[in-house]
Amino acid sequence: MSTGSSIIDQKILRRVTALLALFALIASVVSLSGWAYDIPRFTSWIDEDISIQPNTCVLIAVASIAILLLHYGYQRSTLALGGFVALGGGVNLLQYALGADFGFNHQLLFGREWGHTATMTPGRFGPPASISFVLIGISLGLLVSQKLRRRVPILALAVVLLMMFSLLGYIFGARNFYAIPWLSAIALPAAIMLMAVALSLIVSVPEQHPMLLLCERSSAGTMARTVLPILVMMIPLFIWLRGKGYELELFDLGTSRALGAAVLMLGVVSLMWIALLALRRRELRERETDQRKDEFLATLAHELRNPLAPISNAVSLLKLAGDNPEAFGRATDTIERQTAHLVRLVDDLLDMSRISRGKIELRLCRIDVATVIQQAVETCSPLAQSASQDVTVAMPTQAVFVEADSVRLTQVVNNLLNNACKFAGQGGQISLITERGDREAVITVKDNGIGIPPNMLAFIFEMFSQVDQSLERSKSGLGIGLTLAKQLAELHGGKLEVHSEGLGKGSEFVIRLPLALDQTQPKITPQNTNVAGTGIRILIVDDNLDGAKSLFDVLTLVGNEAFMAHDGEEAIDAAERLRPDAILLDIGLPKLNGFEVCKRIREKEWAKDTFIVALTGWGQEEDRHKSAQAGFDVHMVKPVDLTELLNMLSRLPQRSELV
């Protein structure tokens, strides 16, 4: 079950699984101690002469431990313990089938004579527990297999039904449901613990029904979450109250039936009404979400056209510029600036997708907040200068260090500064203040722009949420920048707050991050600052002819020897013929994909040390993992930072003299 389709986080479900198993483990140990220390109440829990047997306690404890071990990744141990549980239940069941006594029932009785009313042999647990242990043991074995674990809920539900049958017997005083030695014998503690273990197994497979239905974001899921819990509680409670009333002679049999029918009708109608109201609320939320998505798509089209228009104009200007260096410079600056804007839009969309699926990973290290502030301000300077805005930066006198992903934290501050620049207006004032508290670093981005209406403050961080677009339609943005900033701040263990006194009174965003334990200045390692090396042989493989040719021109202009290929088979032939120092290889290629091309090239003896870079539009973690497995040295996402690429190539030893 994907995270996006579930209303309950996978971590919460794992905790529920562990808590149910832990309850069963503790309860079984307590009950077993009742036998060891001669405390009958620990083994029956009520004034009843049917006690949980020691063997039952042991097998429940083993099953609980198996679930907890699987929770922490010990699959082999879970499989072994599951086999032990199934064997214990099966051997005990075999005693009933053959009418035999294998002699292991009384080993843990400690000589106690009580609690054997419903047993055929002291220490032997009844058929319901025997069947349950067989099903639970098999389920533990199936849990380890990704293909077979879908069978687990079916087996666990069978245990739930068996235990529900027994528990209803205890609730309504029907001894035949729990006290017949050869058929229904089971103690109340055993029924409750086995129910907990079975429910733990069901919750541990959230990708299958019934958990799939109970957790999914759908009308059926909403109905199930609303109706089922109430029905499970209402029907037994109603019947119990009716029986008690008749038993206490509060009313006669006819009145009991009439009153029961009336209460049942009222209960069912009320339940359906509650369920329908829940469905209606869900439909209204879905309509609002759909409307916001439609607005988002319209805004996305608007935002994409904004940079595409100047890029198109700049291309036309380049064609007409001739030998005019000033016009040429203006055109290239425009293309560079607007391309960066497009890249930022696409990256924001991809980052939100990664966060929603739990796929984003932070590369944490101890960093100085000042470097983050400097990078963010430099990035936003062109936007602020174009609107004649005054950006003031205030930093504390001493360095402030946090454990953070430098790129992601810069992205957070950059998003907030971009937001301030958009809405501060022409000649606006923007302040960026960093403070060091006792336990946290506080970064405040404040502007004197259009502000935020009070009714929007609670929703400003929601996906696709925007301040009334009529206020500033041309600078509305995609409505995901603030959502992304908040999510990234929380992934760092911090939080993002917003304050505004209303329209026309500006806005203030405050990032709070925990300080790093070590606040001393780290040693600075000198870095290679060469921009580009020359004289190496490079093979460019890309089926996009414009992309390949433009990269070819850049690499040859700085003095490298470049070659091109446009499909997988051509790439392998060219690599064999040219023996390049480096290969810049696209993934999505005709005939053979880039992964296969890289694998085949790596099989060549001459290519063991060839530097192979994946240049692709696919940038998810699983894509990078596939690249590493295929033999790529580096994975870079298009459009690549050419300075970074050239710096990387400049550090390569020249191998072309071996050709």
Side-chain angles (χ1 to χ4, degrees), residues 93 95-97 117-121 124-128 130-131 176 178-186:
L93 198 59
Q95 291 183 115
Y96 285 99
T117 300
T119 61
M120 295 184 69
T121 300
R124 182 191 298 184
F125 47 85
S130 302
I131 295 171
N176 288 340
Y178 62 85
I180 302 175
W182 57 271
L183 178 63
S184 62
I186 189 167

Side-chain angles (χ1 to χ4, degrees), residues 164 536 562:
M164 186 178 296
I536 64 173

Side-chain angles (χ1 to χ4, degrees), residues 494-509:
K495 58 183 178 179
L496 176 59
E497 304 168 352
V498 60
H499 308 282
S500 178
E501 296 182 4
L503 290 175
K505 297 183 179 180
S507 57
E508 179 179 280
F509 291 87

Side-chain angles (χ1 to χ4, degrees), residues 585-588 614-619 623 627 635-640:
L585 180 57
D586 189 18
I587 299 297
L615 293 187
T616 175
W618 302 99
D623 301 318
S627 293
H635 185 108
M636 302 185 75
V637 180
K638 296 178 180 178
V640 298

Side-chain angles (χ1 to χ4, degrees), residues 423 447-453 467 471 499-507:
F423 297 108
D447 67 74
N448 63 344
I450 65 172
I452 304 170
V467 176
L471 297 173
H499 308 282
S500 178
E501 296 182 4
L503 290 175
K505 297 183 179 180
S507 57

Side-chain angles (χ1 to χ4, degrees), residues 265-285:
M265 288 174 60
L266 180 62
V268 171
V269 170
S270 300
L271 181 60
M272 291 303 299
W273 186 257
I274 292 171
L276 291 172
L277 287 177
L279 286 176
R280 183 176 182 275
R281 286 193 297 270
R282 175 178 174 77
E283 288 179 359
L284 289 176
R285 287 195 300 268

